[in-house]
Amino acid sequence: MDSYITPNELFFKRHHFPVPVVDPKEYRLTLDGLGVSGEKSLTLEDIKKLPMHTVTVTLQCAGNRRREFNEIKSVKGLDWVAGAIGTAEWTGPYLRDVFEMCGLNEHELRKMGVKHVWFEGMDVEGLTGERYGSSVPLGKVLNHEGDVILALKMNGEELPRDHGYPVRVVVPGIVGARSVKWLAKITLSQEESKAFWQVNDYRVPPHTDAKLGFLNAPSIQDTPVQSGVCEPMDGGVIDETEDEVTVKGYAYSGGGRGIIRVDVSIDNGKTWQLAELLCNQAREEERVKKEREGEEEGGDPTELGYDFVRREPDRQWAWVLFNASVKIPEHLKGQKLTIRARAVDSAYNVQPESPEFLWNARGCLCTSYPKVCVYHGEKAKEEEKREGKKE
């Protein structure tokens, strides 16, 4: 965890279909559906004429940490560990400004019964010709504090191909599956998108009847409070001369809910220690100030701590990083250490203790306490190997 912002080359990649090759000169974004007169078509240059905004947003795959479900019982999907999450600075116009440019009025849209905004990408399934699609509620897009943008840049650079060039919708606080890449079409509707990944995927069926309950489960939008331990690595060895272990990781909650606390344990949850939080508060405040003054963006990238007065608790679109140096008690020296983390968001939602409470056949939303095991000295690791051979 060397950087608050995830570099483009390290940001996780999740594609459903092959990455399309897009000629920016030929690019067109179409808008249609309820309340739209005919069909609107925008070039890339049209979109660039709108005011640009930069929003720091964490995107997380619904399958982040799925491996912990697989260790209980096999589930569907990629076997993600804790890296299907990343934070970037996304730059582009607000989607609500795009609507306004196309003559779409909020009052009229609501009067006509528009409730959902569909997104369709340019990536295509080879056999059926179906494109990837998804949708979010209209209210999220129109909310002036919802910060939904059409991203043209990522971390100050032209949007990389793997991350949606030339245009990607970025929906803060919502599961990553809704931030559709290579955006080709926006449709306004009374209903959710009919795309496979909205109707038949990214839902959490109940334990009791996964097949019957899947379609009755709501599609994932906001995501629960989450954390991941990044340092030390699972299975690692701490020098036996060390009398403390430094634990680093991330914590995040969907819906704009800020993280207010992270607790860390090295004895499998028997005792806990409060971690320090590193957030981007200073950077965001400096950006707003510069934007108002018409100057270039700047500011410190991170700031230690959480100021409950200065920070908006319901508009935190990005993770916090945490750090805790924990003393190794005498009875654990030379032993295996089981590290846990426990995050709490601004609504006082807290992570559940075990993935067994959350297991589902689709393998989505594994948000229990993360678990990392390390050894205080090589002897501790060798001892476990010997015990394993005996069994």
Side-chain angles (χ1 to χ4, degrees):
M1 303 300 290
D2 296 327
S3 172
Y4 182 85
I5 300 297
T6 309
N8 291 358
E9 63 272 16
L10 298 180
F11 206 98
F12 80 97
K13 300 172 185 177
R14 174 65 174 104
H15 310 324
H16 293 80
F17 305 130
V19 176
V21 177
V22 184
D23 182 346
K25 295 179 181 178
E26 300 297 324
Y27 175 80
R28 296 293 184 275
L29 172 64
T30 61
L31 285 82
D32 65 10
L34 195 60
V36 182
S37 178
E39 181 181 89
K40 308 293 184 181
S41 179
L42 301 176
T43 66
L44 192 57
E45 292 307 311
D46 290 332
I47 297 171
K48 289 180 178 180
K49 291 175 184 178
L50 290 166
M52 296 289 124
H53 304 273
T54 298
V55 185
T56 305
V57 177
T58 294
L59 293 182
Q60 177 181 217
C61 178
N64 191 30
R65 296 180 51 200
R66 182 178 285 131
R67 176 169 295 181
E68 294 163 58
F69 284 157
N70 277 320
E71 291 171 353
I72 299 169
K73 184 180 177 182
S74 180
V75 297
K76 179 184 176 183
L78 298 175
D79 193 33
W80 290 109
V81 188
I85 187 171
T87 297
E89 295 178 324
W90 308 91
T91 301
Y94 288 133
L95 182 50
R96 64 175 185 269
D97 289 347
V98 176
F99 282 7
E100 185 175 332
M101 181 175 67
C102 293
L104 304 178
N105 176 274
E106 176 179 353
H107 176 73
E108 290 300 318
L109 292 178
R110 293 190 182 280
K111 185 177 178 181
M112 295 188 71
V114 177
K115 294 183 179 179
H116 298 273
V117 182
W118 300 9
F119 304 121
E120 183 178 277
M122 301 178 74
D123 45 335
V124 181
E125 204 282 325
L127 295 176
T128 66
E130 184 175 6
R131 293 185 174 189
Y132 180 79
S134 195
S135 67
V136 299
L138 176 70
K140 173 64 179 175
V141 174
L142 296 181
N143 187 345
H144 282 240
E145 295 186 345
D147 297 325
V148 179
I149 64 169
L150 296 188
L152 307 177
K153 291 184 177 182
M154 180 180 181
N155 293 331
E157 300 176 359
E158 185 177 78
L159 200 63
R161 274 192 64 204
D162 282 337
H163 295 289
Y165 178 83
V167 180
R168 176 182 193 169
V169 62
V170 173
V171 189
I174 303 296
V175 69
R178 312 305 174 206
S179 290
V180 174
K181 294 181 279 190
W182 314 291
L183 187 65
K185 187 177 182 180
I186 298 173
T187 300
L188 305 183
S189 176
Q190 291 181 323
E191 302 176 312
E192 283 190 325
S193 169
K194 300 301 182 183
F196 175 90
W197 302 269
Q198 188 80 27
V199 177
N200 297 304
D201 206 345
Y202 298 116
R203 297 170 185 254
V204 179
H207 283 274
T208 51
D209 193 335
K211 188 174 181 180
L212 178 63
F214 190 84
L215 295 180
N216 293 324
S219 58
I220 301 170
Q221 294 288 339
D222 290 7
T223 53
V225 60
Q226 171 73 290
S227 71
V229 173
C230 302
E231 296 180 24
M233 296 288 287
D234 190 45
V237 177
I238 300 168
D239 193 287
E240 61 185 7
T241 62
E242 296 290 336
D243 62 359
E244 67 178 25
V245 55
T246 298
V247 181
K248 297 181 180 180
Y250 62 80
Y252 168 75
S253 191
R257 295 179 293 276
I259 297 295
I260 62 172
R261 193 179 87 226
V262 176
D263 305 317
V264 170
S265 170
I266 65 169
D267 57 7
N268 202 24
K270 293 178 181 177
T271 61
W272 296 88
Q273 177 175 313
L274 194 65
E276 290 183 328
L277 303 184
L278 197 63
C279 65
N280 69 332
Q281 180 172 298
R283 189 186 191 98
E284 291 303 305
E285 290 183 348
E286 185 69 12
R287 173 178 291 122
V288 171
K289 179 182 176 182
K290 294 292 185 182
E291 191 174 87
R292 287 172 179 168
E293 296 173 354
E295 300 177 19
E296 294 295 321
E297 296 168 358
D300 296 328
T302 51
E303 180 174 291
L304 190 63
Y306 186 111
D307 189 320
F308 297 94
V309 176
R310 289 165 58 199
R311 233 175 156 226
E312 295 180 75
D314 58 352
R315 202 179 178 185
Q316 300 306 310
W317 308 127
W319 62 19
V320 299
L321 305 184
F322 66 83
N323 184 318
S325 295
V326 185
K327 290 284 186 181
I328 302 174
E330 288 298 323
H331 72 280
L332 286 180
K333 289 183 177 179
Q335 305 294 319
K336 177 180 175 180
L337 308 178
T338 302
I339 298 171
R340 299 280 196 169
R342 179 175 64 191
V344 183
D345 71 16
S346 57
Y348 285 94
N349 297 309
V350 62
Q351 293 177 267
E353 183 176 353
S354 170
E356 293 180 358
F357 303 147
L358 301 170
W359 186 96
N360 60 90
R362 182 57 185 91
C364 291
L365 304 184
C366 183
T367 58
S368 55
Y369 300 174
K371 177 182 178 181
V372 167
C373 294
V374 297
Y375 303 88
H376 189 225
E378 288 288 352
K379 290 181 180 179
K381 190 168 187 176
E382 291 300 320
E383 180 64 27
E384 183 175 76
K385 286 181 180 179
R386 286 194 293 271
E387 292 296 325
K389 287 180 180 179
K390 289 178 182 179
E391 294 176 4

